[in-house]
Amino acid sequence: MVERTQAPIMELLEPTDENLRRAGACIARGGLVAFPTETVYGLGADAFDARATARIFEAKRRPSFDPLIVHVASIGEVGRVAEIPGAKARLLMEALWPGPLTLVMPRRAEVPDIVTSGLDTVAVRLPAHPVARAIIAYSGTAVAAPSANPFGYLSPTTAAHVAKGLGDRIDFIVDGGPCAVGVESTVLDMTVDPPHVLRPGGMPAEAIEAVIGPIDSSPAPEAASVAAASPGLLASHYAPRTPLYLVGAGRIGQAKPRGRAAALLIGPSTPESLAAIQGIFDQARCLSPAGDLVEAAAGLFAALHELDGAGFDQIWAERAPGRGLGPAINDRLQKASKK
Ligand code: AMP
Ligand code: MG
């Protein structure tokens, strides 16, 4: 067993049962573990340990304290961190958990301020990924975990992304392969009625409304959901280093690329339509030739990582249509784009 104090060297672990126990134990004694969830890779620490959660901010080089999502192993554990505010929250947990839906609820006093940014609410999620669930269960605690990437950079959807960004600053990375959903969870504020979408994400609004009726999907003012953020600080989240420009859905023809440029398309596309676009760009990449937004979301960050590493002068991306996972994809593209 590697002790944190003697070995600052990160280990990449296969998700064997023994390693999941080790990862859980590491969290239980104040360590940091990166692990896969169905949305993106998370960087987890004991949610009740203020020092351990502070190390998350340090590892991510996050200049401000942004509230963290607390991950639980079962619905029964929610009561340790939050008060379930009413029937709608319970209905959503029962219908849509485990899954990419985070519920903001009144907090319990045992959750340290650093986790909630001093808010009187806490964001809670029950992830679906079996590796995440096993690690949380073995840790015996609730696990605060933001995305496992340096502050402001693209979210990681593979263990290699995590190793590249944070490998020297954390104790373990558990490798569970690429993330199936590929964008962060939908964050829904359950302290207001109708519940309000604070961040579009992997759970489509349509799926939530099918369970509890209408929700408020109007854009949340960034600063209202992030207590300590300075205005505009978070507008360029999830950003690649290469300048990224956006055009409307299906409007890649309106791009005005300069230098070596790549096109990132949502789809649908055909080999012929891609070939035509390749005439204008140095590379054209389509996230889902079939036009499936679930497939497009799953590959979004990996495609951005790859294009960002390929030395282009510009990336031009088209927006997704507004249905299903389209708003989550567009939110990430907007934040990745130059203002
Ligand atoms: P991340 O952990 O990077 O996936 O992002 C967490 C998101 O959840 C941030 O956008 C926060 O603004 C939001 N969030 C976390 N806790 C709260 C809370 N108590 N109230 C409102 N939003 C929250
Ligand atoms: Mg993040």
Side-chain angles (χ1 to χ4, degrees):
M1 172 82 65
V2 176
E3 288 302 327
R4 243 182 346 108
T5 43
Q6 79 191 53
I9 303 153
M10 177 278 304
E11 278 191 86
L12 195 62
L13 301 180
E14 290 300 315
T16 61
D17 188 58
E18 193 206 329
N19 284 339
L20 299 178
R21 282 175 195 276
R22 281 177 71 190
C26 179
I27 289 174
R29 51 167 207 275
L32 294 190
V33 174
F35 57 84
T37 78
E38 72 278 24
T39 61
V40 303
Y41 274 70
L43 180 59
D46 180 353
F48 297 105
D49 181 338
R51 269 183 73 116
T53 49
R55 287 186 64 213
I56 293 178
F57 293 98
E58 182 191 50
K60 283 177 65 85
R61 303 270 192 272
R62 214 171 196 167
S64 68
F65 290 151
D66 196 11
L68 303 176
I69 293 172
V70 175
H71 297 73
V72 291
S74 68
I75 294 178
E77 295 280 294
V78 175
R80 292 178 67 185
V81 292
E83 250 172 68
I84 300 177
K88 286 183 182 176
R90 190 162 284 285
L91 280 170
L92 286 174
M93 290 175 196
E94 277 158 12
L96 300 179
W97 277 7
L101 174 66
T102 295
L103 301 178
V104 171
M105 299 178 282
R107 72 187 268 197
R108 293 249 180 251
E110 291 77 10
V111 182
D113 276 337
I114 191 165
V115 171
T116 66
S117 278
L119 296 170
D120 52 13
T121 54
V122 60
V124 188
R125 181 165 103 82
L126 176 58
H129 200 295
V131 168
R133 295 190 65 181
I135 291 173
I136 299 164
Y138 283 137
S139 77
T141 183
V143 176
S147 50
N149 54 328
F151 176 76
Y153 192 58
L154 297 168
S155 289
T157 55
T158 64
H161 294 158
V162 181
K164 204 168 145 208
L166 296 178
D168 56 341
R169 301 183 211 156
I170 55 186
D171 299 310
F172 294 124
I173 302 175
V174 181
D175 187 353
C179 302
V181 175
V183 289
E184 291 84 349
S185 59
T186 300
V187 179
L188 189 64
D189 183 358
M190 300 307 299
T191 67
V192 292
D193 200 29
H196 185 202
V197 177
L198 297 176
R199 174 179 73 184
M203 183 66 72
E206 294 90 328
I208 299 170
E209 293 188 323
V211 179
I212 57 164
I215 57 173
D216 178 4
S217 294
S218 59
E222 198 88 53
S225 65
V226 184
S230 14
L233 193 67
L234 298 181
S236 75
H237 232 71
Y238 318 109
R241 315 233 185 268
T242 315
L244 184 140
Y245 303 91
L246 279 177
V247 295
R251 298 281 168 84
I252 199 72
Q254 294 181 348
K256 298 183 180 58
R258 285 176 197 276
R260 281 192 74 238
L264 183 62
L265 309 173
I266 306 296
S269 69
T270 60
E272 294 74 35
S273 69
L274 263 188
I277 294 159
Q278 240 140 9
I280 316 169
F281 289 90
D282 294 274
Q283 191 183 323
R285 177 73 108 75
C286 182
L287 292 170
S288 174
D292 173 359
L293 293 175
V294 173
E295 183 185 28
L300 175 66
F301 281 119
L304 287 171
H305 274 280
E306 206 178 296
L307 293 176
D308 198 25
F312 291 107
D313 300 307
Q314 300 183 331
I315 301 169
W316 286 78
E318 63 171 4
R319 286 193 172 79
R323 67 189 147 79
L325 292 185
I329 294 170
N330 289 338
D331 177 74
R332 304 309 181 274
L333 285 173
Q334 191 70 42
K335 286 170 174 160
S337 71
K338 279 233 134 166
K339 280 184 287 130

